Amino acid sequence: MNNFPSKETVERLRREYPAGTRVELIAMDDPYTKLKPGDRATVLGVDDAGNILCEWDRGSSLSLIK
């Protein structure tokens, strides 16, 4: 079995996070990013793997995994 979400899960994420939605980072455990809790981004879309593609106000384009 793969680690990809089902088509239904991806479609739910696309409905929940349409392009243009604003999101705020709650927590981050990636030591290589400068993003911090409270940073905000605009959603660009959701890819087929269920990653939420974001354009961060700080200039980063790091995607989110929900």
Side-chain angles (χ1 to χ4, degrees), residues 39-61:
D39 285 347
R40 296 182 51 99
T42 301
V43 172
L44 301 175
V46 176
D47 68 15
D48 290 340
N51 298 307
I52 302 168
L53 310 174
C54 294
E55 185 173 89
W56 292 89
D57 294 351
R58 286 180 171 254
S60 172
S61 60

Side-chain angles (χ1 to χ4, degrees), residues 2-59:
N2 63 34
N3 291 329
F4 289 99
S6 67
K7 288 182 182 180
E8 293 80 15
T9 298
V10 172
E11 288 306 315
R12 179 185 55 78
L13 287 169
R14 287 180 174 150
R15 285 190 305 274
E16 192 172 342
Y17 297 98
T21 300
R22 295 288 290 167
V23 294
E24 183 176 330
L25 184 65
I26 303 297
M28 173 66 74
D29 63 0
D30 182 347
Y32 302 105
T33 184
K34 294 181 181 178
L35 295 173
K36 299 187 183 319
D39 285 347
R40 296 182 51 99
T42 301
V43 172
L44 301 175
V46 176
D47 68 15
D48 290 340
N51 298 307
I52 302 168
L53 310 174
C54 294
E55 185 173 89
W56 292 89
D57 294 351
R58 286 180 171 254

